Amino acid sequence: MAAAQGTAARLIEVALAEVGTVEGPKDNETKYGAFTKANFLPWCGSYVMWCANQAGVKVPNTVSTVAGADAFKKQKRWYDNDGVNVPEPGDIVYFDFPGDGVDRISHVGIVVKADAKTGIAICLEGNTAGAPSGDQRNGGETCKKERGFRKNNAKKLLMGVVGWGRPDYAGSAAAPVAPKVVKEKDATGKVYPGETIDPGEAGIHVKTVQTALGLKPADGQFGPVTKKAVMAHQKAKKLPVNGVVDAKTWKSITGFPVK
């Protein structure tokens, strides 16, 4: 039985059924491009959009992969490939392959699964090549690919993953990556606020942590870069490594009082 419409599982089912499709007879001619009214153009984004439409999943227009990534960022549903975040099934993953002569996001696919230990993700992609030696962003085929999302991945695969967007799937508990606002307990930001400071929050206490860690800009937004720096500090100081600023981590990073 097919997975429910509007879910990540359904998007993966639809995309998987398309594996083996080859463009033609003309260059870049596909039903995916016909659907997006972008036929005869590079079609990895059109493939994602066609599959999403068939699965009842809403995704931004990603015929232009750069524009698609920007749209996810504006929706606060973007995750940078920062060495901490791990893609999830159904994420829309964006690539910039090193050494291909195009220094920007230029390819997109759908994540089937990802392994944080190996640093490898299984992806479904249109307009790629099955062979590693083929053109990975304009190869003319729909393929199931292994992609490294960590530089030191287990199979030493080329690492081209820039980041990924997460659609608002039906029944998903995942909220947008919108920043929470820290409940300010003092106006200076130099006293622990009495509760943990978590990734996704924003405020003066986050800025204090960023400044103490030497992060620039210290913008008060607890994003992936701040989380990575907090975790590195926790590891160095033999504190629990979770990226959350509790009372002990606050005192260790800032030197300011807990209360």
Side-chain angles (χ1 to χ4, degrees):
M1 186 173 68
Q5 285 288 100
T7 62
R10 181 58 182 151
L11 176 60
I12 292 168
E13 281 181 351
V14 171
L16 189 60
E18 296 300 305
V19 170
T21 301
V22 179
E23 67 181 34
K26 295 182 179 179
D27 188 39
N28 285 319
E29 181 179 9
T30 65
K31 63 181 179 183
Y32 316 120
F35 166 72
T36 60
K37 296 181 172 54
N39 216 359
F40 310 109
L41 296 174
W43 50 274
C44 58
S46 292
Y47 164 75
V48 169
M49 292 183 67
W50 183 92
C51 292
N53 182 68
Q54 294 292 308
V57 173
K58 187 176 181 180
V59 298
N61 188 326
T62 196
V63 170
S64 162
T65 51
V66 172
D70 285 344
F72 273 117
K73 291 174 185 178
K74 289 178 182 178
Q75 293 176 3
K76 304 297 185 183
R77 289 187 168 276
W78 175 263
Y79 294 79
D80 284 317
N81 186 19
D82 61 355
V84 177
N85 293 324
V86 178
E88 296 182 0
D91 283 350
I92 309 303
V93 60
Y94 291 83
F95 301 88
D96 175 13
F97 296 110
D100 68 352
V102 180
D103 189 20
R104 60 169 173 78
I105 289 174
S106 56
H107 188 63
V108 64
I110 300 165
V111 176
V112 177
K113 62 180 180 179
D115 189 328
K117 291 183 178 179
T118 64
I120 294 173
I122 306 300
C123 303
L124 300 169
E125 303 167 23
N127 202 21
T128 190
S133 58
D135 191 333
Q136 297 304 297
R137 61 180 180 82
N138 196 20
E141 305 175 55
T142 301
C143 302
K144 186 176 182 180
K145 302 287 294 186
E146 281 189 316
R147 298 296 192 190
F149 65 92
R150 294 286 187 264
K151 186 175 182 180
N152 298 318
N153 60 78
K155 294 189 177 182
K156 299 182 179 179
L157 300 172
L158 185 70
M159 207 294 286
V161 175
V162 176
W164 47 90
R166 186 160 298 156
D168 186 9
Y169 287 111
S172 172
V177 194
K180 299 183 292 180
V181 177
V182 175
K183 297 178 180 179
E184 307 292 359
K185 296 294 179 78
D186 75 287
T188 68
K190 295 182 179 180
V191 178
Y192 184 65
E195 58 190 5
T196 61
I197 305 169
D198 305 321
E201 293 189 359
I204 194 170
H205 294 93
V206 177
K207 187 173 182 178
T208 298
V209 170
Q210 292 172 323
T211 300
L213 289 169
L215 298 178
K216 295 180 181 180
D219 58 5
Q221 300 289 330
F222 199 146
V225 173
T226 302
K227 180 180 177 181
K228 186 177 181 179
V230 168
M231 293 177 70
H233 179 91
Q234 288 172 326
K235 184 177 180 180
K237 299 298 182 181
K238 298 183 179 179
L239 296 168
V241 181
N242 55 17
V244 173
V245 179
D246 58 12
K248 289 183 178 179
T249 299
W250 167 269
K251 187 173 182 180
S252 177
I253 290 174
T254 68
F256 292 137
V258 172
K259 60 181 179 179

